[in-house]
Every structure is written in C-alpha cells, then in structure tokens.
Amino acid sequence: MTDRPSASDRAAAADPEARDVALTVAGSDSGGGAGVQADLKTMAALGVFGTSAVTSVTAQNTCGVDAVDDVSTDVVAAQIRAVTDDFAVGAAKTGMLSSADIIETVASALDGAAFPLVVDTVMVAQSGDRLLAADAEASLRDDLLPLAALATPNLPEAAALAEMTVDDEDDMRAAAARIAGDDGETGPAAVLVTGGHLGDGDAVDVLYADGDTRVFRNRRFDTDATHGSGCTLSSAITAGLARGDDLPAAVARAEAFVARAVRYGLDVGDGPGPVHHLAAARNDAAGTDAVRAVDEVVRALEDAGVDALVPEVGLNVAVATPYAVGTDDVAAVDGRIHRTVDGVAAAGPARLGASSHVARLLLAVREYDPAVTAAANVRLDDDVAAAVTERFDAVEVDRTAEPDASPTERRDGGTMSWTVDRAMTGRDDAPDAVFDRGAVGKEPMCRVFAETPAALHDRLVDLGGRL
C-alpha cells in the first residue's frame, strides 16, 4: 500500500501553472486538420488552454466530408455553459455551425459574454462540401455576427455575406466594410476578409476595424497542404485576444503564425494535407540548438586555421532552424569571423538574426531544397574556384547580369533570390557551393552549403586544407 503524502510534502509541491483560457464552439474534424481539433492544437501551440463545445461531428478526411451529424442544441448549450461556468474564458470563437437552430443556440449562450467573440463564418469546407445550410445564412448574419468582435470570412463567404462579387483587393475592402455594417445594418465590430482564394500573387487579407482598413500581405507558397488554415487563423486570433492582445496585434501575430504553418504544411492522407499547427512552437524550441551549432562550427574553424577562406568582409556561418521563414530564424556570428595575427576569430557570439547576407542566401536555397540547413560565405579567387569545382558539386553564377535591386531588396541588402534562382536552374537539389566572380561594386564570393552544420564544417576544413 502506498503511503499518502504528508501535509508538508503536499505543501512543497509546485503550484499549477496558470493559463489564459479560450473557447472554441465548432464542429469536429475526424481527420484532425480543421475544426475543433485544429483550434485546440493552435491554442495549445500559442500557450493558451483551449476548451471546446462541439456542434457537429463530421466523418471527414483530407479528401472530403462523408457524413455530418449535428449535436443536439441542448447539448451544445450545456457544453458552453459547462465551460463558462468553470473557466475564466478570455476569448471565444465559433467555427462550423451547420443550422439555424445551432446558430441561435450559440448566439443565445454567448450573448452578453464578458469576453470577445471571433466568428469564423464557416460555410463550405475546403473540399467543396457544404457545412452551413443555405437557410441558416440569415441567422448567421442577424443573430451571431452582431455579437462578434471580429468575423473572418474567406472570399466566397464574404461575397455571400456582403451580397456582392469579391474578385480583388478593392472588393475585399468594400465587402469588409459592408459586412461590418457601414451601410447602416448591424454587423460585427471588425471584419477580416481572407484572400487565400485570390490565386496569383501574395496572399492578401484585409482587416476593417473602427473605420480603418489594414492589409496583411504574406507570401503565397506553392503547396496544397492548406487544410484548416481558416480555422487555424481564427483560433490563433482568439488565442491572442485571450492573452490580452488588442485586435490588430492579435491579427498580426496570427497572420505570422499561419504563414509559417502553411509554409511547412504536413503530408498526411491522400488529399491536400493540413497546415502544421506546431511549426512555430517547434521552431522556437530549436533556436537554442541552432545557436549552439554555429558556436561549435566556429570553434572548430578557429582551431583548424582556415585563414585562406576568410574574405575581406569576413566569413560567417549560418544555421537555420527547422521551420525558418526569416532571418530571425537563422543563427550566425554577430560581427562575422575575421583574420587576426593569431589566426581566425569570431568578432562576437552566435545569435539568431545576426546575419543578413548569408542568412537570406540560406533561406533562398531552402525554398528549393529544405534539407539544407547550414551555409557559409568564403573568399573567392582562382584557386578557391578551382578547389570547389574539383571537390564539390559547385555552380558558378554570373552576377554581371544581375538586375538592379528594387527598393525592398536594397533595404534587405541584396538580391539573394536572383542568385539562387540562377544556381538552381535545371536542378532538384541544392549544390554544395555557389560562387561568382563579382561585378561592379560586388566582391567575388563563394557560398558553401550543407544539410548539417557538421557537414558544413567538414567542407570548409577540406577546402581550407587545399589552399
């Protein structure tokens, strides 16, 4: 028989961790990529405790929806009541509400709530299956949207709610204002029209709040793994509101969260996969490892004496986190590595965001070959060019043909994507090295790539030994 812990033992136990709480009122996705499952994964990834009230059970996977069974309105109301009676809910969201009866039940249960409500106006699944009865649209518009701090319709939903065609950004702006009630009707306090269905160009979302419009532009990725992206966006906003963020801040952070989740979508199932709800959390956790990896490579290079590889501007070593999307996700040497009378030495420690040039080049290569995680820039002369061509899979790029940088590219420090595009012509995998002999105002340079920091170290030491 196990002895019961003494009072002093119990008193010494750690206090439980307090968490902000969010509520999702939505349908269940048996495929796990959307609905309540996506909402709870997102809330947990953002440090918020997620609670739920299931409105419908769907037999669903990446290929489509096979069956839907609505939960009785009494049970829906009871679930909401059970959560709000016990938990200090900081914000709530709705997702799939398939019938007028369910919408009216949810509106009644949440009317007068002290926390903000985000309404994800789910009408049709990504597969094309209808999730909201046509005769329930009036209830959504009249009963639920007036309670919302924010509504998040996609383009087809915005077109239906605004009763207008929505084909471009100007239409999105007009639809957002109309749904918010600027035509004299009662609507949500704010509207975020999501433009993932626009097709070409950047993914554009338009936020209308307090009479002002703000546009969020994210890079559009060539991927089909976007299942659950709308649920994930609305639940990420809800998590931010539950944490106490104001609406613009909550939307901005959710946009960044979803951009990374889409960039690193998951390949599961036979149809379009879901977004990666844990990409941001896992990326944050990997930051320390990336910094440590750079430190280890730098120490080894200092011991190996690779003076001949260091260019005038200094050599840098960059290591990307697994789910990197920007230079803040790339660890590098702060101040680069330089030649000294005693050999080579790092000017500062490794840290995330320390590099612009090498980090952006590494990120550009990873767009083609995500297996590449590490890169370094080294001096180029005829001997280096001959050595990398002999020892490695190397590609030479003629930068005299490089176009002038745009204002954005000048702000970011160059045109790394152009260089990488040329180097990757006709290739599936990234080369081990890319070098160019410079141009007017541009120092000749060689960049070495590898799938691991250890492999990068080996290539640099091998190259340095041959010089």
Side-chain angles (χ1 to χ4, degrees):
M1 181 176 179
T2 303
D3 292 335
R4 186 168 181 263
S6 67
S8 59
D9 289 339
R10 294 196 301 274
D15 290 334
E17 181 181 352
R19 282 292 176 99
D20 296 311
V21 178
L23 166 64
T24 172
V25 183
S28 168
D29 173 8
S30 54
V36 165
Q37 287 85 344
D39 295 341
L40 295 178
K41 290 173 186 177
T42 300
M43 292 169 181
L46 291 170
V48 172
F49 185 80
T51 60
S52 63
V54 177
T55 59
S56 300
V57 176
T58 69
Q60 184 177 174
N61 54 31
T62 60
C63 298
V65 180
D66 294 330
V68 177
D69 190 15
D70 291 341
V71 176
S72 74
T73 54
D74 287 346
V75 173
V76 170
Q79 291 177 84
I80 296 172
R81 210 165 39 244
V83 171
T84 56
D85 284 352
D86 185 39
F87 296 88
V89 175
K93 66 150 289 187
T94 63
M96 176 185 176
L97 308 175
S98 65
S99 69
D101 286 345
I102 291 177
I103 292 172
E104 291 164 7
T105 297
V106 171
S108 177
L110 296 177
D111 191 10
F115 46 80
L117 173 66
V118 175
V119 174
D120 185 4
T121 54
V122 177
M123 294 182 177
V124 180
Q126 184 169 321
S127 60
D129 297 285
R130 185 88 188 183
L131 298 177
L132 175 69
D135 61 2
E137 289 183 15
S139 293
L140 175 65
R141 184 183 292 107
D142 299 337
D143 298 321
L144 191 61
L145 286 182
L147 305 180
L150 176 71
T152 61
N154 59 29
L155 293 188
E157 293 161 355
L161 292 171
E163 299 180 327
M164 60 176 284
T165 301
V166 182
D167 290 331
D168 56 29
E169 185 178 323
D170 288 339
D171 292 342
M172 293 170 69
R173 293 169 179 265
R178 182 177 293 187
I179 295 167
D182 268 16
D183 60 355
E185 299 293 329
T186 301
V191 177
L192 178 69
V193 177
T194 59
H197 293 74
L198 276 182
D200 297 333
D202 290 341
V204 177
D205 295 348
V206 173
L207 174 66
Y208 180 87
D210 297 324
D212 294 324
T213 300
R214 179 176 177 181
V215 178
F216 296 88
R217 300 183 191 279
N218 293 295
R219 181 182 166 190
R220 187 182 298 277
F221 297 102
D222 184 16
T223 178
D224 292 327
T226 58
H227 181 55
S229 56
C231 302
T232 302
L233 178 62
S234 59
S235 55
I237 296 169
T238 305
L241 295 175
R243 290 195 308 260
D245 294 346
D246 62 28
L247 181 62
V251 173
R253 290 172 183 170
E255 291 274 343
F257 178 90
V258 173
R260 193 189 305 268
V262 171
R263 166 70 177 83
Y264 293 100
L266 298 174
D267 182 13
V268 293
D270 292 330
V275 303
H276 195 333
H277 302 96
L278 296 182
R282 291 185 176 177
N283 196 70
D284 290 344
T288 300
D289 292 338
V291 171
R292 185 182 300 116
V294 171
D295 278 332
E296 291 173 354
V297 173
V298 169
R299 284 196 298 270
L301 292 178
E302 290 173 338
D303 294 340
V306 291
D307 308 50
L309 297 183
V310 181
E312 289 288 332
V313 296
L315 182 153
N316 213 335
V317 173
V319 175
T321 52
Y323 305 100
V325 295
T327 56
D328 286 344
D329 300 317
V330 179
V333 179
D334 192 356
R336 302 193 179 193
I337 300 169
H338 298 275
R339 282 176 284 187
T340 72
V341 293
D342 298 318
V344 300
R351 65 175 180 83
L352 293 170
S355 170
S356 173
H357 176 91
V358 181
R360 286 183 295 103
L361 196 78
L362 176 57
L363 291 169
V365 167
R366 282 172 54 82
E367 293 297 327
Y368 288 94
D369 189 351
V372 174
T373 67
N377 68 305
V378 302
R379 182 179 64 85
L380 183 78
D381 60 15
D382 289 341
D383 291 337
V384 175
V388 296
T389 301
E390 176 189 351
R391 293 292 298 162
F392 305 141
D393 174 13
V395 175
E396 181 174 2
V397 174
D398 180 9
R399 292 189 72 193
T400 62
E402 183 178 17
D404 291 337
S406 68
T408 298
E409 289 166 337
R410 285 196 294 273
R411 179 198 66 201
D412 292 340
T415 53
M416 294 299 98
S417 293
W418 184 91
T419 301
V420 171
D421 289 344
R422 297 305 178 277
M424 289 299 301
T425 301
R427 303 180 60 99
D428 293 323
D429 300 326
D432 301 332
V434 175
F435 65 93
D436 67 83
R437 299 182 187 274
V440 176
K442 300 168 184 175
E443 180 182 2
M445 193 68 65
C446 178
R447 294 91 173 180
V448 181
F449 303 98
E451 292 190 359
T452 67
L456 178 68
H457 161 263
D458 292 346
R459 286 175 182 166
L460 294 175
V461 171
D462 178 78
L463 183 59
R466 291 181 174 274
L467 300 177

